[in-house]
Amino acid sequence: MPWLLLVLALIGGDAMAAADPLADAEARFRTLESYRVTLRSVAADGERQVIRYAWRRPGWIRMDFVEPHGGTVMIYDPVARRVRLSPFGLNHMPTLNLAPDNPLIRSPRGHSVDHSDVGALLANLDELRARGSMSVPADAEVAGRPATVIEIAGAAGVSVAGVHRYRVWLAQEVRFPLKVQSYEASGELIEIVDMSDAEFDIAFPERFFTP
């Protein structure tokens, strides 16, 4: 390919990525080896959750609950597809070994721990966009971090995982979701989730996911 055409192709590729922040977010997530974030969620009814959340490829998950159920730890093993639940902390009995879809450890909205990571969120966003539309209304900041705001809504009567519309703040430097608002088809708010302290490619201690 002549050098001028090559340059134009590269520029065109960058422009397409800039014009499609969701595709860019999915591509960048595939390069992440790990991340750590404090999940701060507020439901429409005012229920709050604070969870220290850690993820490592190929799908290890550790959730340290701060509020409610402070001290509870859940660890998901993607190889065995089992969840270790320590209701009173890792050094205290009892410890339960559960399937990830066990009702005991599903979220109030029915989500399972093995589909709780950002990759699952991005997949839901992609599916909803395929059955609706996406707009990029503005740039903004979340906790001082530059972000691109996207809105994705399903067509009439379409929802994915119970959500009809998302408003998402993607960090501009890595396209990672820093804040997410979800809505029902009626327009009612479901939940606000803050992940603004996200850190990437963390070198976790050797036995962090297998204590």
Side-chain angles (χ1 to χ4, degrees):
M1 177 183 293
W3 71 267
L4 180 57
L5 294 180
L6 177 59
V7 169
L8 290 174
L10 291 172
I11 293 174
D14 288 343
M16 289 179 63
D20 192 348
L22 178 56
D24 196 10
E26 293 177 296
R28 295 192 185 209
F29 182 77
R30 288 192 290 270
T31 71
L32 278 183
E33 288 301 316
S34 64
Y35 70 88
R36 177 171 58 199
V37 66
T38 304
L39 292 172
R40 303 178 188 275
S41 66
V42 182
D45 61 5
E47 181 181 2
R48 297 177 178 271
Q49 277 195 328
V50 179
I51 302 170
R52 291 194 295 271
Y53 188 101
W55 176 92
R56 187 179 70 193
R57 199 169 297 282
W60 290 92
I61 294 169
R62 174 167 166 167
M63 302 169 69
D64 290 73
F65 288 75
V66 178
E67 177 187 345
H69 316 302
T72 296
V73 179
M74 282 201 306
I75 298 177
Y76 173 63
D77 179 343
V79 178
R81 290 193 51 77
R82 302 294 292 180
V83 178
R84 170 178 174 167
L85 172 64
S86 302
F88 305 106
L90 293 177
N91 298 319
H92 299 85
M93 297 295 288
T95 295
L96 307 178
N97 189 299
L98 305 170
D101 60 353
N102 189 300
L104 183 65
I105 54 175
R106 280 187 172 271
S107 75
R109 294 183 53 226
H111 297 157
S112 58
V113 62
D114 57 330
H115 291 96
S116 63
D117 62 281
V118 162
L121 169 64
L122 294 175
N124 287 345
L125 293 172
D126 194 44
E127 181 181 350
L128 190 61
R129 178 174 67 168
R131 301 167 64 190
S133 61
M134 182 180 81
S135 61
V136 184
D139 286 338
E141 285 192 356
V142 179
R145 302 173 77 161
T148 297
V149 185
I150 64 172
E151 287 194 1
I152 296 177
V158 173
S159 295
V160 172
V163 178
H164 174 71
R165 179 167 63 91
Y166 284 100
R167 186 175 177 89
V168 185
W169 286 252
L170 296 172
Q172 289 185 358
E173 76 275 17
V174 291
R175 294 302 196 201
F176 189 91
L178 300 178
K179 183 179 177 181
V180 181
Q181 294 177 346
S182 53
Y183 297 86
E184 297 178 352
S186 65
E188 294 294 315
L189 176 70
I190 298 173
E191 186 180 41
I192 301 173
V193 180
D194 181 285
M195 298 183 283
S196 57
D197 67 348
E199 302 174 86
F200 313 110
D201 292 326
I202 306 300
F204 291 105
E206 181 180 356
R207 299 196 62 81
F208 185 77
F209 293 96
T210 55

